[in-house]
Amino acid sequence: MFKLSKKVEYGLIALRHMALVDTITTAKEIATHYQIPFDLLAKVMQKLAKTKIIISHQGIRGGYKLAGSANNISVMSVIQAIEGHIPGIVQCIDEGLENCSIHQNCTIRDPLHKVQKNLESTFINLKVSEIV
Amino acid sequence: MFKLSKKVEYGLIALRHMALVDTITTAKEIATHYQIPFDLLAKVMQKLAKTKIIISHQGIRGGYKLAGSANNISVMSVIQAIEGHIPGIVQCIDEGLENCSIHQNCTIRDPLHKVQKNLESTFINLKVSEIV
DNA sequence: TATTAATACGACTTATTAAGTCCGTGAGTT
DNA sequence: AACTCACGGACTTAATAAGTCGTATTAATA
Ligand code: SF4
Ligand code: SF4
């Protein structure tokens, strides 16, 4: 419960790495350096590339590099890129009210949605550059 | 990812209910009223009873009632009671550093632990009485 | 132009956790 | 004694997360 996914952790580690080295870097390099499963990291980086957080170069001598400055990348945008959406702390935020079987009787929705907003701004304000 | 468990949601709903009615209430009552699976709710309430958040009365005409005022019950204490521990946003908080296979190379631990503390105080400051 | 080393992407399998169920025991009231 | 509640462990099922595999595509370079 309440855990960041490994994919997000791997993504953050990779981004921090790229923020430091500045040169173009391959997924393989990062995977071996940090002992991260290559296939998994590769897909994470593809997600980050698709949302333009990093820029990819195919072909031999290819790899990835940051698209912009690390202090313009919020951790929330990273999460959203990797997970495909902003994760909700309760089901109804992700799937809509109707999908919760007890939403008719739910009494705790509003306060939890406030917690959600609180949480979101924490991750919006946290930038990759602060991941030291 | 990052979801509150249903058990915690059920617990909060139950606590709010008890905060309102004030009289002794059975798990069955709450389960049918809110359409919550009885067996599951029952175990949740037992956990809350064991940690003295609510007081149980066995036997016929038994049930539960709040042990104290709702504004003295933090949502964090409820989570801890139900889950058995304070949940961490990353593995190493729950299971210790050694259990993470890449902890030797992890670069993002410290900032994430700060997020954890931030999150914890959010739930510590949030009281059941605010769950309106 | 053939080779090579990289990304791209979907399908698949396995592992872990969450959610829900079942069943018997113990306690207190009438 | 009977009834109805809490107690608690074992179990099953469902959902999600983590990891793997196969194949296609792209571009530098020898
Ligand atoms: S129980 Fe309430 S807060 Fe939880 S998912 Fe259902 S509607 Fe949302
Ligand atoms: S990768 Fe780092 S932050 Fe994540 S669990 Fe391992 S040590 Fe903790």
Side-chain angles (χ1 to χ4, degrees):
Chain A
M1 170 188 169
F2 238 93
K3 249 185 209 65
L4 244 55
S5 73
K6 285 289 180 190
K7 286 196 282 191
V8 168
E9 289 196 52
Y10 297 159
L12 291 174
I13 289 172
L15 286 170
R16 174 188 173 278
H17 182 93
M18 287 185 282
L20 292 182
V21 300
D22 187 40
T23 72
I24 198 164
T25 315
T26 70
K28 191 179 186 179
E29 263 184 274
I30 295 176
T32 58
H33 188 281
Y34 296 96
Q35 305 262 71
I36 296 171
F38 168 75
D39 289 297
L40 194 47
L41 177 65
K43 291 213 298 189
V44 166
M45 296 184 79
Q46 283 161 30
K47 289 266 178 71
L48 294 175
K50 264 221 300 219
T51 54
K52 304 288 203 314
I53 291 173
I54 59 180
I55 292 175
S56 76
H57 291 281
Q58 282 187 314
I60 199 169
R61 313 272 281 163
Y64 300 95
K65 64 174 189 186
L66 287 191
S69 163
N71 27 21
N72 290 328
I73 309 173
S74 77
V75 172
M76 181 53 87
S77 71
V78 174
I79 293 173
Q80 185 163 16
I82 294 172
E83 298 294 327
H85 63 282
I86 295 175
I89 62 168
V90 282
Q91 181 191 14
C92 56
I93 294 176
D94 285 348
E95 306 172 23
L97 221 51
E98 324 75 43
N99 288 88
C100 175
S101 60
I102 65 167
H103 78 269
Q104 305 267 13
N105 311 292
C106 179
T107 54
I108 59 172
R109 194 162 50 238
D110 285 4
L112 289 182
H113 281 228
K114 284 191 193 120
V115 172
Q116 170 82 19
K117 288 299 169 202
N118 189 316
L119 190 60
E120 284 178 18
S121 48
T122 299
F123 283 112
I124 288 171
N125 294 332
L126 184 65
K127 307 299 180 185
V128 168
S129 53
E130 300 172 58
I131 304 275
V132 286
Chain B
M1 171 191 168
F2 239 93
K3 248 185 210 66
L4 244 54
S5 73
K6 284 291 179 188
K7 288 197 281 191
V8 168
E9 288 196 53
Y10 297 158
L12 291 174
I13 289 172
L15 287 170
R16 176 189 171 277
H17 182 93
M18 289 184 281
L20 292 183
V21 301
D22 187 39
T23 74
I24 197 164
T25 316
T26 69
K28 191 179 186 181
E29 262 184 273
I30 294 177
T32 58
H33 188 282
Y34 296 96
Q35 305 261 67
I36 296 171
F38 168 76
D39 288 296
L40 194 47
L41 178 65
K43 292 213 296 189
V44 166
M45 296 183 78
Q46 284 163 30
K47 289 267 179 70
L48 294 174
K50 264 224 298 221
T51 55
K52 303 288 202 315
I53 291 172
I54 59 180
I55 293 175
S56 75
H57 292 281
Q58 283 187 315
I60 199 170
R61 313 276 281 167
Y64 299 96
K65 65 174 188 185
L66 287 190
S69 163
N71 27 20
N72 291 329
I73 309 173
S74 77
V75 172
M76 182 53 88
S77 71
V78 174
I79 293 174
Q80 185 163 16
I82 294 172
E83 298 293 329
H85 63 282
I86 295 175
I89 63 168
V90 282
Q91 182 191 13
C92 55
I93 295 177
D94 284 349
E95 306 171 25
L97 221 52
E98 323 75 44
N99 288 87
C100 174
S101 60
I102 64 167
H103 79 269
Q104 304 267 15
N105 311 292
C106 179
T107 54
I108 58 173
R109 194 163 49 239
D110 286 4
L112 290 182
H113 281 227
K114 284 192 192 119
V115 171
Q116 170 82 19
K117 288 298 169 204
N118 190 316
L119 189 61
E120 284 178 18
S121 47
T122 298
F123 283 111
I124 288 171
N125 294 332
L126 184 65
K127 307 298 180 186
V128 168
S129 53
E130 300 172 58
I131 304 275
V132 286

